[in-house]
Amino acid sequence: MDYYGLMFQSARFMRFTSLVRSVPASAAVPLLAVACLATAWPAMAHAEQLAQTPPAKGAVPAATPAAVVAPTTASEPEQSVLDAELFYQLLLGELSIYGGEPGEGFSLLLDGARKSNDPKLYERAIQVALQGRSAEPALAAARAWAKAQPGSRDANRYVLQILVGLNRVAESSEALKTEINGTPARERNTMISAIPRIYARATDKKLAATVVEQALADSLASPAYGPTAWTSLGRLRLEAGDTPGVLEAARRAQALDTSAEAPAGLALQLMDAKTPAAEEIVRKHLAGKPSLEFRMGYARALIDGQRLPEAVQQLQTVTRAKADHPQAWLVLGSLELQDRKYEAAEKSLKRHVEINQASSGNRNDAARAENSRGMAQAYLQLAQIAEQRKDFPLAESWLAKIESAEDMVNAQSRRANILAKQGKLEEGRKLLRALPEKAPNDGRMKLMAEVQLLRDNKQYQAGYDLLTEKSRTGPVDPELSYDRAMLAEKIGKLDEMERLLRQIIATKPDYQHAYNALGYSLAERNIRLPEARALIQKALEFAPGDPFITDSLGWVEFRAGNLAEAERILEGAFKTRPDAEIAAHLGEVLWARGKRERALVVWREGASLNGDNETLQETLKRLRVKL
């Protein structure tokens, strides 16, 4: 019986004719053609491949019409598992999907896949189920495929990915182990390194780490795969918040391969005051031949920890090894500017600009966007240096080079500051207020820029009034409330300052700046010192090792009469972050302890960092010291 005779005799043809009847008669024939040749053939586009595939063991294929599959030779065509009934079944399955009944279509395709044992049909059935958000049927199809073809890595991958997607993580161990063992040796490390991405959406991170550890048991002990396996396991433990487990994984990986960078990179993510052991792993790698990008990552970690002199050393190492590393020059220049080393900062920032300009034509769109932001930062900081030297035309010329729209608020803020320094504060405020508000956060950025302008120019009452007015029209914003509290202190509204800071603590309990500011204010006034100490210690829980919060703690101890402890704490803070205000406090403690020569040295260093610092100037005036 020919193919069309089979179709008309089938009871299922009634469903097919109902689809055709739903369109005008003139369109029925084109619909059938399109269904057969286009819509109906992600599954049937490979009909020739299926037809030319030798039949499955034990199968007795029927004859296939020559119109469907051309024979491999003119005289002796090969038999195929794609007989007329299967052809029609697959066509009907695709038409069911096309007609809005994906469940029926999935069943027909999966049945066809089982009959033909064709991997593309199994994959098509899985895709139909997933597109219909039917993960359980997709899993059933993937498992059927894996059972029919136990050696199929594609089938096993689908089982693994669907199980993880369904959050049935505990069931995924065997599939993961099969995938690991089935991966060729030359590709296995790459596969193992991708495991954290496979489990990225698992909700139970701890369980995911346990399951992966079980599946990787053989690889963890292997010299060839162990470093990668331990690193991948460490990343999963990091997601689970298992810090000791991450450290163990990084150590075990590094022990297997001391030159491997990935374990040290894992430790780098833990490098803060709470996990000093992580830095031991990082330093072991630094003692070898780390990549320059790893040194850059270490420098950023040091900056986050306020260990700026050490960060500068790392950046200088990078620039010596690779003189055209633009990012290293930019970060180095920023740190030098922060330390008021204007000549060194200007040199570094100009070097960044030169390198980027020289290579600007060799970048894709993403790299050009990143370059534009880096150049904008460099121009802003070069303008700031020129402004410090009162070379306002040069500062304006640097600002005029900024093209990045994202940095326009910063550029206009610098222009406003230049105007203020020339006695044109109101013009500067108008400049900021005239900035367009294209994004939801633009208005807030403009407000913060105007408040900063007023603070820089000691217009504390105006800044306080501006923030008070804005606070009436919106919800509590911790950062703006904090700025308002600091301005309240400047104008003598200490009760209002304390009220605002306590409001911030209630609203955002992890906002360490509020704890520190309130504790320092109490210590500065020499009142409620036990409470001040508790507040500052709470702030240090959220920001361990922060030199400015540490400075506050040292000041509390000084006020409490614990001079030796105050000296110890402030010496540590000043070593971590040389700063004029910390120098003022350390110098006063040393002065009180009779270490006057050392006090003068510290104060002179503070004055070289920022001779205009109010705390330093007030301290020297009160103690009647001339440097």
Side-chain angles (χ1 to χ4, degrees):
M1 183 176 295
D2 65 14
Y3 171 66
Y4 292 103
L6 181 65
M7 287 177 62
F8 275 93
Q9 285 193 22
S10 172
R12 287 177 175 171
F13 183 68
M14 296 302 294
R15 293 174 54 77
F16 172 75
T17 53
S18 70
L19 285 171
V20 177
R21 289 193 193 105
S22 67
V23 296
S26 61
V29 174
L31 174 63
L32 178 59
V34 170
C36 290
L37 296 179
T39 304
W41 212 224
M44 294 179 65
H46 66 296
E48 288 193 32
Q49 297 174 15
L50 190 66
Q52 293 171 14
T53 303
K57 186 175 181 179
V60 183
T64 303
V68 177
V69 179
T72 55
T73 66
S75 58
E76 193 175 346
E78 291 187 17
Q79 295 297 319
S80 167
V81 294
L82 182 66
D83 58 15
E85 184 176 2
L86 181 56
F87 185 97
Y88 166 69
Q89 178 177 334
L90 300 179
L91 174 63
L92 188 60
E94 291 291 345
L95 286 172
S96 295
I97 296 164
Y98 178 81
E101 296 187 28
E104 178 68 17
F106 165 79
S107 298
L108 290 167
L109 291 176
L110 180 56
D111 183 62
R114 286 185 168 122
K115 289 176 179 176
S116 64
N117 201 29
D118 184 87
K120 292 186 179 179
L121 284 179
Y122 277 116
E123 186 168 21
R124 173 62 179 153
I126 293 168
Q127 290 172 350
V128 167
L130 292 176
Q131 287 165 5
R133 299 183 181 277
S134 301
E136 290 292 348
L139 178 60
R143 281 178 162 163
W145 180 9
K147 183 178 180 181
Q149 300 179 5
S152 171
R153 290 182 63 202
D154 287 337
N156 186 68
R157 283 173 187 155
Y158 271 113
V159 172
L160 174 61
Q161 291 168 359
I162 294 170
L163 282 171
V164 175
L166 286 169
N167 258 316
R168 290 162 60 175
V169 173
E171 299 176 46
S172 68
S173 180
E174 199 58 39
L176 177 60
K177 192 171 184 179
T178 299
E179 175 63 14
I180 294 167
N181 294 336
T183 303
R186 66 182 181 278
E187 301 171 10
R188 194 168 299 179
N189 274 321
T190 302
M191 184 272 146
I192 291 172
S193 68
I195 290 174
R197 292 197 296 275
I198 295 172
Y199 286 84
R201 294 186 179 181
T203 54
D204 191 336
K205 304 295 185 184
K206 188 175 181 179
L207 176 61
T210 300
V211 166
V212 169
E213 184 175 1
Q214 293 169 352
L216 284 172
D218 294 338
S219 299
L220 291 170
S222 163
Y225 311 122
T228 305
W230 277 112
T231 301
S232 287
L233 180 58
R235 291 195 180 109
L236 286 160
R237 288 174 174 178
L238 184 66
E239 289 293 317
D242 179 10
T243 299
V246 178
L247 283 172
E248 183 209 13
R251 287 194 189 103
R252 298 284 290 270
Q254 192 173 65
L256 288 168
D257 183 357
T258 55
S259 66
E261 191 153 285
L266 186 60
L268 195 59
Q269 296 181 67
L270 295 177
M271 212 193 80
D272 58 33
K274 290 183 178 179
T275 51
E279 192 166 2
E280 295 174 13
I281 299 169
V282 172
R283 287 188 176 278
K284 281 184 182 178
H285 186 66
L286 287 168
K289 295 181 179 179
S291 69
L292 295 181
E293 291 314 309
F294 183 84
R295 282 197 185 276
M296 287 294 296
Y298 182 50
R300 293 187 187 98
L302 291 169
I303 292 168
D304 289 343
Q306 293 292 319
R307 293 162 59 183
L308 305 188
E310 294 173 77
V312 168
Q313 290 175 1
Q314 292 299 321
L315 293 165
Q316 288 172 339
T317 299
V318 173
T319 55
R320 282 194 299 268
K322 185 175 172 57
D324 60 348
H325 196 300
Q327 192 65 22
W329 286 112
L330 178 61
V331 179
L332 179 60
S334 299
L335 294 180
E336 289 166 337
L337 176 58
Q338 196 169 329
D339 280 345
R340 296 176 177 262
K341 297 176 180 177
Y342 297 123
E343 290 186 11
E346 184 177 36
K347 181 180 177 181
S348 297
L349 294 168
K350 284 183 175 179
R351 182 70 181 126
H352 170 82
V353 170
E354 290 168 4
I355 294 166
N356 272 331
Q357 287 177 336
S359 58
S360 59
N362 303 321
R363 292 186 170 92
N364 57 30
D365 289 345
R368 276 194 291 272
E370 183 180 351
N371 172 54
S372 177
R373 292 303 306 276
M375 293 286 272
Q377 290 178 49
Y379 291 143
L380 281 166
Q381 292 178 97
L382 286 165
Q384 187 177 345
I385 293 169
E387 184 185 328
Q388 287 291 334
R389 294 170 175 165
K390 302 191 185 304
D391 190 343
F392 302 127
L394 178 59
E396 177 56 43
S397 71
W398 287 120
L399 294 173
K401 295 178 183 290
I402 294 175
E403 299 175 353
S404 169
E406 295 90 340
D407 290 289
M408 194 50 64
V409 171
N410 290 330
Q412 293 297 73
S413 295
R414 292 250 62 88
R415 287 192 173 98
N417 211 46
I418 291 169
L419 287 169
K421 287 186 176 180
Q422 299 176 83
K424 302 175 182 177
L425 177 62
E426 287 307 312
E427 286 186 41
R429 295 182 72 180
K430 288 178 183 177
L431 189 68
L432 292 173
R433 290 181 174 182
L435 280 167
E437 296 182 20
K438 297 180 180 179
N441 199 41
D442 286 352
R444 182 176 182 276
M445 290 179 65
K446 287 169 56 178
L447 174 61
M448 293 180 75
E450 186 175 357
V451 170
Q452 185 64 47
L453 177 68
L454 292 167
R455 183 190 290 110
D456 289 345
N457 289 276
K458 299 185 179 181
Q459 299 297 308
Y460 304 128
Q461 184 68 55
Y464 174 80
D465 291 343
L466 178 59
L467 286 173
T468 300
E469 179 187 347
K470 294 294 183 182
S471 69
R472 299 191 182 105
T473 59
V476 174
D477 182 315
E479 288 187 36
L480 294 179
S481 292
Y482 178 79
D483 286 346
R484 186 177 163 209
M486 295 301 94
L487 289 167
E489 182 184 34
K490 290 289 187 183
I491 59 176
K493 291 180 175 286
L494 300 179
D495 289 343
E496 176 66 0
M497 177 206 69
E498 184 167 343
R499 183 190 71 79
L500 289 167
L501 291 175
R502 292 195 183 281
Q503 182 185 61
I504 295 168
I505 290 169
T507 305
K508 189 174 174 57
D510 62 347
Y511 197 77
Q512 70 264 22
H513 304 297
Y515 294 98
N516 180 52
L518 183 53
Y520 178 77
S521 174
L522 295 174
E524 182 67 8
R525 288 176 279 159
N526 205 14
I527 60 173
R528 293 148 52 193
L529 296 181
E531 182 184 358
R533 183 184 291 108
L535 286 163
I536 294 166
Q537 287 172 338
K538 186 69 175 178
L540 282 170
E541 289 179 15
F542 296 116
D546 184 294
F548 295 106
I549 302 176
T550 304
D551 170 66
S552 299
L553 183 61
W555 198 237
V556 170
E557 298 300 341
F558 173 68
R559 291 297 201 189
N562 304 321
L563 302 188
E565 179 65 4
E567 180 183 347
R568 184 190 68 79
I569 293 171
L570 290 168
E571 284 281 14
F574 191 61
K575 182 180 179 181
T576 301
R577 180 72 169 92
D579 176 83
E581 185 152 339
I582 300 175
H585 291 149
L586 175 58
E588 184 161 352
V589 172
L590 292 167
W591 191 266
R593 298 199 73 197
K595 300 180 181 181
R596 301 203 167 186
E597 289 300 320
R598 169 67 177 147
L600 291 170
V601 169
V602 169
W603 281 329
R604 289 190 186 107
E605 188 174 350
S608 70
L609 293 167
N610 182 4
D612 297 328
N613 180 269
E614 291 182 7
T615 302
L616 179 59
Q617 289 298 323
E618 185 278 327
T619 300
L620 296 175
K621 182 179 179 180
R622 175 166 43 81
L623 296 177
R624 299 179 181 180
V625 174
K626 291 185 179 180
L627 298 180

